[in-house]
Amino acid sequence: MKILLCPLSDGGYLYPALAAGRELRRRGHHVSVLARSSAGPVVAEAGLPCAVAEDFGGHRAFSATWWGKTGAAQYRAVLGAARASRADLLVTSVLCNGALLAAEALDIPVAVVGLSVHLWDYRSGGDGEPHLGRTRESRTRDSLDLHAATREEVGLAGRAPRWAHDPLLGDALLLRGDPALEHPGAELPERVAHVGPLSWEPAPRQGEREAVEEHVGRTGGGKPVVYVHLGRFFGGRTLWPRLNEAFTGGPFQAVVEQGRSTDPAPAPEADILLVRKPWMGPLVDAADLVLANGTSAPVLSALLRGRPLVLSPNGSEQPLLTGACVRAGVAVRDPKTPSVDLSALLESVSRDEGLRSRARALGDRLAAADGAARAADIVERVAQASAIPKENHEYAISRPR
C-alpha cells in the first residue's frame, strides 16, 4: 500500500505522524511525507522520503499558525502530491481540512492523527463537563463551518460529502491520550480510537544535551529544574513576568522552550536558560516537574516520564487538556492571578507525592500502549474496509482498551 503522510509540519503534529509512518513502513508499506521544506531534515532523520509542500503550492499550508486560512492551498498541495505518489491512503493531522477534502476528491481513505483529547462533541455523555474555555458545542460548530467553507472554496460543495456525519474525523481519528483524559461517562464517536502518545522525536545532536546539562549545573547552584514549554498565546497573557518572578532567587531553575511563543523576555538575574530545540525528552528527563500552557506534546512527554504538571492555558486545546489533566489528578492549574505565587505553586506540586504517583501511573499506561502499532493496525483496517464494495461495507473500529 502507498501511504502519504500529510500532517502539519510543526513538531507536535509531524512527529506523531512520523511515528505511525515508521511502523507502517516497517510492515512493508511504501510511506512518503508531504511537508514544508524546513521540516525536511527531521523527515530524513525519521528515514522517510519527503516531498516539499512548496513544490505543490503549499506555502504556509502545513503551518499550525496558518491552519485556518490555508485550507484551499493545502487541498491543492495534497491533491498534487497524492497523485504524484499514487497514494492509496492519506494520514493527516487534526484540523487539516484541505487534506480531508483531498481524500474525498481522490476517493481514498484518510486517517487523522488527533491530539491527546477529543476536541468536539461526544457521541453521548459528557454532561456536566466544566468549560475552562469554549464549549464542545461551540468548537464543533465553528470547526464544521470552517470545513464547509473550505469545501466550497475548493469546489466540492455540490458533491455529496464522503462523511455526511462527523466529516472532521476522516475514516478514523486517532487520539494520542488515554480514556482517563476524557470526561467520565462520555462515549467517543464510533470512528475515534485511543492509540497512545505516538512518541517519536529527533535525537539531540552531539554535545547538545551535555551543553544544557553543563549550563544548568554551572549556573543553577544545584537547584531542581523545571522544564517550561511555552506554546502559542492565542491573545492570552504572557507568562514571562511570572516566570521571571518565580525563577529569580527562588528554589528552582528553569529550562524554557519558547516553542511557538514570541518575544521571550528572561530577566538577566533569573535562573532561566532559554532554548529552542526540536526535541524535549532529555530536558524533561532532567526536570523535577513541567510547566506548560497545556498543549499535547509537552503534556504527553511529561506524563511518559512520570513528571507532574503545572498548566497555564490560553486558547485552542489548552483549556480542554488542562481540565482533563486536573481531573485525572496529574496536574494543577495555574490560576494566573497576582494572589497566587507561581514559585510557591511549583514548590507545592513538587512536594505532592500523590500527584507524582498518579502521573507515573498514567504515564506507565500510556507507555504500554504501543501507539505506533495500534495506529498502524487501524490504518490497515481502514484501507481494508475501503476496498470492500460500498454495498457490503460495514465499517467499524474496535476501540483499543
Side-chain angles (χ1 to χ4, degrees), residues 58-373:
H59 178 63
R60 289 181 173 173
F62 296 89
S63 166
T65 302
W66 293 89
W67 74 267
K69 303 174 184 177
T70 56
Q74 185 183 93
Y75 168 79
R76 291 189 291 270
V78 174
L79 206 63
R83 285 170 172 161
S85 65
R86 303 181 65 83
D88 303 303
L89 181 145
L90 305 180
V91 176
T92 190
S93 302
V94 69
L95 303 176
C96 283
N97 289 314
L100 290 171
L101 293 168
E104 181 181 330
L106 294 165
D107 195 24
I108 60 175
V110 55
V112 181
V113 178
L115 304 173
S116 51
V117 288
H118 186 55
L119 288 176
W120 300 301
D121 286 339
Y122 287 125
R123 186 178 185 184
S124 64
D127 301 329
E129 182 181 24
H131 307 292
L132 291 178
R134 302 174 61 191
T135 65
R136 287 184 184 275
E137 181 182 17
S138 169
R139 191 182 295 108
T140 302
R141 183 180 61 249
D142 287 355
S143 297
L144 289 171
D145 286 348
L146 180 58
H147 181 273
T150 308
R151 199 165 185 275
E152 183 172 359
E153 186 179 359
V154 302
L156 295 179
R159 296 174 43 160
R162 178 169 179 175
W163 309 282
H165 181 60
D166 287 336
L168 306 170
L169 309 181
D171 289 283
L173 173 63
L174 313 180
L175 294 180
R176 289 151 46 209
D178 182 271
L181 296 177
E182 304 298 337
H183 194 265
E187 184 177 358
L188 294 169
E190 61 182 8
R191 300 202 306 275
V192 180
H194 285 106
V195 300
L198 291 176
S199 181
W200 181 87
E201 64 180 14
R205 294 193 298 270
Q206 185 175 4
E208 270 192 311
R209 179 172 55 187
E210 293 77 8
V212 172
E213 292 171 349
E214 181 184 354
H215 179 95
V216 167
R218 184 177 67 250
T219 65
K223 295 177 181 180
V225 174
V226 176
Y227 177 66
V228 183
H229 190 101
L230 298 180
R232 292 176 63 194
F233 292 150
F234 296 102
R237 195 178 305 169
T238 175
L239 269 177
W240 275 107
R242 304 193 75 221
L243 293 178
N244 285 326
E245 182 180 1
F247 296 109
T248 300
F252 297 99
Q253 58 179 317
V255 175
V256 180
E257 168 60 60
Q258 63 185 40
R260 294 197 301 274
S261 65
T262 55
D263 301 324
E269 66 276 12
D271 292 323
I272 290 176
L273 173 63
L274 185 67
V275 299
R276 183 181 285 276
K277 304 292 185 185
W279 45 267
M280 72 176 82
L283 301 177
V284 179
D285 284 334
D288 186 64
L289 67 152
V290 171
L291 169 62
N293 288 128
T295 52
S296 287
V299 166
L300 291 172
S301 186
L303 291 175
L304 284 169
R305 291 161 175 82
R307 301 301 190 267
L309 290 142
V310 175
L311 299 177
S312 184
N314 288 312
S316 188
E317 72 181 294
Q318 298 173 14
L320 188 65
L321 181 52
T322 295
C325 288
V326 170
R327 188 172 59 245
V330 298
V332 170
R333 181 178 177 235
D334 171 24
K336 296 192 280 191
T337 61
S339 61
V340 176
D341 179 77
L342 180 57
S343 179
L345 182 62
L346 294 171
E347 196 164 7
S348 171
V349 169
S350 178
R351 293 196 307 262
D352 191 330
E353 285 304 319
L355 201 68
R356 195 176 295 275
S357 176
R358 289 187 294 272
R360 282 196 296 264
L362 179 52
D364 287 345
R365 272 207 315 278
L366 289 166
D370 195 358

Side-chain angles (χ1 to χ4, degrees), residues 3-9 14 18 30-44 47-59 62 76-87 90:
I3 299 169
L4 177 67
L5 308 184
C6 45
L8 296 174
S9 293
L14 175 63
L18 292 177
H30 183 276
V31 181
S32 58
V33 185
L34 176 64
R36 63 176 183 250
S37 56
S38 59
V42 170
V43 176
L48 298 174
C50 185
V52 177
E54 290 88 340
D55 292 346
F56 293 92
H59 178 63
F62 296 89
R76 291 189 291 270
V78 174
L79 206 63
R83 285 170 172 161
S85 65
R86 303 181 65 83
L90 305 180

